Amino acid sequence: MEPLRDEVVHASALTKTFAGTNAVDGIDLSIRRGEVFGFLGPNGAGKTSTMRMIACMSPRSSGDLLVRGLDPTFAGPEIRAGIGLVPQEDALDSEMSVFDNLVIYGRYFGLARREVRARAQVLLEFAQLADRASTKVDHLSGGMRRRLAIARSLISRPELVILDEPTTGLDPQARHLVWDRLFQLRSEGVTLIITTHYMDEAEQLCDRLVVMDRGRIVGEGTPRELIASTVPREVVELRLNPGATPALLVALKDHVERVEQLADRICCYGEDGDAILEAVIATGIHPLSSLVRRATLEDVFLALTGRQLIE
Amino acid sequence: MIAILRALPMGPTVTLSWRRSAHVIERNVMNYRRNWFYLVSGFFEPLFYLLAVGAGVGRLVGTVQTSGHSVSYAAFVAPGLLASAAMNGAIFDATYNFFFKLKVERTYEAMLATPLSVMDVAIGELGWTLVRGMLYAGGFLAIMAVFGDCHSYDAMLCLPAAMLITLAFAAIGLALTSYMSQWQHLGTVALAVLPLFLFSGTFYGLDAYPGWLQEVVRCSPLYQGVALLRALALGHLSALLLIHVLYLVLLILFGLFVVSRRLARVLTP
């Protein structure tokens, strides 16, 4: 694989080994300028390890990696100068004010004090924290901290921003505020890499994504492509009385394309969900509840790995 | 010294830049702008010791013999207290403060996502300890001079010598702390520092010990610092003092070597 001109990240057979286990197991990646690229997978899939290698914060064990056209092994500081990172734990300076957090971070990039103060003002507006400039970080809510971490990652005007689980632990309102800010960044042409284990987040935000499981890439494409190529269009979720499942599965055999049995429900996949539900009712077996919906990335993940994203 | 630092085996991603290290010091200065009281408070501990032991106990002791000269007890004990203060300040920064930033705040993880490298972080933290130690040592020396405990202009050399002691204990403290995983481990530091403070010749000369024990105490890093500062403060210069200097420099390099490798392993696995 030869790197392309507009590639921000290029990896082939990229591997990370911890104590004899491959956390990342020979993956190929091509992330292009200006796109929002997602890593979707459960905890422990190797998303964070991959992200840390791309951010030049962890050396690769084997394989090739180019970030911004440079090799992290030899050009760590140069590459990091053009990357903004939003770590999962925020890692803010909790004793310092919101404003000072932005200022000192800009200083790490070698920016002049005057310049960094001006940028910090703009970023406070962007993060909707302008009225909190002198508040100690200790006193911020989780959503505010995350927005500050995002603002901080932008102080160097990076061409690539990497966000590790950007909305984990946030309430729905705070989550939408973060998404809103990320949409704005995308519209400004910033390349975003997002790791998440929320399929709705991946579906909403990502232009393209890879599904990771146990260190490998098991699926790749746009959210639509991935759904269309992996699972039928619609799903009927059924909750049944214990013991009713085997009989129902036999009766439905000709009506569904695939069935997934989960701990608390079964999912029946087909092109027409209503038709499947009618077939269920025709069997005379009454489900405790039923739901017809479109297939999502959650179903893609289930089909690709046989497991649920959040277990 | 710079050449040696650059030659340390650090790996290709562990590059060093003095300018980047300076930003680590800047961060600590910004952090203490809001907590200046804690910064100033560190100045008083050695001062209280000087008053209680130097002026108070000194009155009972009168004069003591050191290197064949007779000096007041206050003049004898003051350089020892300066060395101990340099040690204590460095150890506090390099253990509790460093651990907090390393494990609790994850300050360094945020730093390492920028152009800063682990070596920049290690040198920067040493630099900050040095800045802080210089404030304390400078203040203490001024008070020693006021009390008449500095017997020659050579005593001005006490400042760089105290810096050397600060750096040595900071480097060793950082190295040890990088191996610690919980707060309780830091308790062992106090266990090591207190006997060093009490038994390294700070309060009395080595002749109080039997011969074999004198040799053991001579190996203690604080003794090296106390002996160096006492000779400088009292104006007893000799080429042999360079041995103390060399000992402390080696300690700094050893500590830096360990901590930069440990940080690379812990922070950029």
Side-chain angles (χ1 to χ4, degrees):
Chain A
M1 232 172 38
E2 278 297 303
L4 303 170
R5 239 192 54 175
D6 66 340
E7 268 184 329
V8 179
V9 178
H10 173 92
S12 59
L14 182 62
T15 302
K16 182 71 195 182
T17 310
F18 289 116
T21 334
N22 286 347
V24 179
D25 196 1
I27 64 171
D28 297 336
L29 287 172
S30 167
I31 301 173
R32 291 190 284 270
R33 190 149 312 198
E35 74 178 340
V36 181
F37 191 91
F39 288 88
L40 180 67
N43 293 328
K47 294 171 299 181
T48 299
S49 297
T50 306
M51 181 216 77
R52 287 177 61 87
M53 284 191 279
I54 294 173
C56 306
M57 293 177 72
S58 169
R60 62 183 183 269
S61 303
S62 67
D64 289 326
L65 178 64
L66 288 178
V67 184
R68 305 178 62 226
L70 301 166
D71 186 335
T73 309
F74 306 106
E78 289 90 330
I79 297 173
R80 289 195 299 268
I83 294 182
L85 178 78
V86 184
Q88 216 176 115
E89 306 84 0
D90 296 329
L92 297 161
D93 260 312
S94 62
E95 301 269 302
M96 288 199 221
S97 72
V98 167
F99 191 75
D100 282 355
N101 262 272
L102 293 172
V103 169
I104 191 59
Y105 208 71
R107 296 288 291 154
Y108 296 155
F109 284 87
L111 299 169
R113 267 195 204 88
R114 179 196 293 260
E115 171 67 18
V116 89
R117 283 207 191 99
R119 289 190 192 185
Q121 279 301 350
V122 176
L123 286 171
L124 283 177
E125 298 288 340
F126 170 85
Q128 291 161 312
L129 290 168
D131 54 338
R132 301 279 179 161
S134 56
T135 306
K136 238 168 93 167
V137 166
D138 256 349
H139 302 145
L140 296 182
S141 71
M144 289 174 181
R145 290 174 65 100
R146 190 61 49 85
R147 293 200 313 269
L148 177 58
I150 293 172
R152 186 181 64 170
S153 75
L154 300 173
I155 196 94
S156 60
R157 297 198 177 136
E159 62 167 317
L160 168 64
V161 177
I162 303 175
L163 302 108
D164 195 9
E165 306 278 354
T167 64
T168 297
L170 300 189
D171 61 47
Q173 199 187 352
R175 201 164 176 229
H176 280 281
L177 263 174
V178 168
W179 283 359
D180 184 53
R181 299 297 88 180
L182 297 183
F183 279 126
Q184 188 178 334
L185 285 180
R186 178 169 74 166
S187 72
E188 289 166 12
V190 179
T191 311
L192 300 178
I193 296 179
I194 295 172
T195 76
T196 182
H197 60 261
Y198 295 125
M199 59 91 192
D200 56 336
E201 184 159 274
E203 227 166 307
Q204 287 258 351
L205 292 175
C206 298
D207 299 317
R208 255 174 0 111
L209 59 97
V210 290
V211 179
M212 281 191 86
D213 187 41
R214 296 181 178 144
R216 290 171 185 272
I217 290 176
V218 292
E220 185 170 2
T222 68
R224 264 164 197 260
E225 278 168 12
L226 265 169
I227 295 166
S229 65
T230 320
V231 286
R233 217 161 56 94
E234 295 197 332
V235 192
V236 181
E237 288 191 16
L238 301 168
R239 283 169 211 276
L240 297 164
N241 276 319
T245 310
L248 184 74
L249 291 183
V250 172
L252 282 180
K253 215 168 62 184
D254 298 331
H255 298 276
V256 300
E257 289 176 45
R258 56 179 288 136
V259 174
E260 293 285 355
Q261 293 190 55
L262 307 176
D264 59 335
R265 62 193 193 276
I266 64 171
C267 294
C268 305
Y269 293 85
E271 289 306 311
D272 185 349
D274 290 329
I276 295 173
L277 192 57
E278 277 170 27
V280 170
I281 293 163
T283 62
I285 298 168
H286 293 289
L288 299 173
S289 72
S290 61
L291 170 72
V292 180
R293 60 171 176 82
R294 286 181 154 270
T296 66
L297 286 173
E298 184 85 45
D299 302 296
V300 170
F301 188 80
L302 192 60
L304 290 174
T305 68
R307 291 183 296 128
Q308 288 173 274
L309 268 170
I310 302 170
E311 288 177 322
Chain B
M1 181 107 164
I2 292 168
I4 299 172
L5 280 178
R6 288 205 188 279
L8 282 174
M10 295 182 292
T13 55
V14 193
T15 53
L16 171 64
S17 146
W18 299 108
R19 213 178 65 120
R20 293 196 305 245
S21 303
H23 296 314
V24 178
I25 300 178
E26 191 180 340
R27 182 240 163 232
N28 288 311
V29 172
M30 278 175 80
N31 195 38
Y32 270 97
R33 262 200 329 224
R34 284 185 171 219
N35 304 306
W36 58 269
F37 176 77
Y38 296 100
L39 197 64
V40 173
S41 66
F43 171 72
F44 288 99
E45 188 183 307
L47 181 62
F48 292 157
Y49 270 109
L50 185 64
L51 292 174
V53 181
V57 178
R59 202 176 261 238
L60 302 173
V61 178
T63 60
V64 289
Q65 291 289 319
T66 180
S67 320
H69 301 76
S70 183
V71 297
S72 76
Y73 184 67
F76 174 83
V77 85
L81 290 171
L82 176 55
S84 307
M87 171 183 79
N88 280 324
I91 286 288
F92 185 74
D93 251 338
T95 57
Y96 282 91
N97 288 346
F98 181 60
F99 186 85
F100 182 69
K101 286 181 269 190
L102 181 64
K103 301 280 174 170
V104 184
E105 285 264 271
R106 295 170 178 272
T107 311
Y108 304 126
E109 277 188 40
M111 287 181 179
L112 293 176
T114 74
L116 266 60
S117 72
V118 286
M119 200 61 182
D120 298 331
V121 168
I123 296 281
E125 286 299 347
L126 269 189
W128 163 242
T129 308
L130 191 61
V131 168
R132 198 173 156 160
M134 200 131 65
L135 291 175
Y136 296 158
F140 192 84
L141 260 180
I143 289 169
M144 273 172 68
V146 170
F147 283 172
D149 295 335
C150 296
H151 286 198
S152 90
Y153 285 107
D154 298 334
M156 282 197 289
L157 288 173
C158 282
L159 191 61
M163 296 301 89
L164 212 53
I165 299 168
T166 301
L167 281 178
F169 279 98
I172 293 300
L174 293 177
L176 287 175
T177 307
S178 69
Y179 282 96
M180 296 176 186
S181 55
Q182 39 185 318
W183 285 109
Q184 285 84 341
H185 294 162
L186 291 170
T188 55
V189 172
L191 211 61
V193 166
L194 188 63
L196 274 183
F197 173 55
L198 292 175
F199 304 119
S200 293
T202 317
F203 299 103
Y204 46 85
L206 279 193
D207 45 14
Y209 297 120
W212 63 273
L213 195 53
Q214 289 187 15
E215 297 312 314
V216 173
V217 174
R218 262 184 233 281
C219 297
S220 124
L222 184 59
Y223 171 77
Q224 298 286 328
V226 169
L228 178 62
L229 285 185
R230 187 165 287 150
L232 292 174
L234 299 175
H236 304 159
L237 259 60
S238 88
L240 285 176
L241 294 181
L242 289 175
I243 295 174
H244 302 311
V245 173
L246 182 67
Y247 180 107
L248 294 169
V249 167
L250 287 177
L251 219 53
I252 296 167
L253 291 176
F254 174 71
L256 253 183
F257 174 73
V258 173
V259 75
S260 62
R261 287 174 67 103
R262 277 293 298 170
L263 284 185
R265 179 172 291 191
V266 174
L267 292 170
T268 59

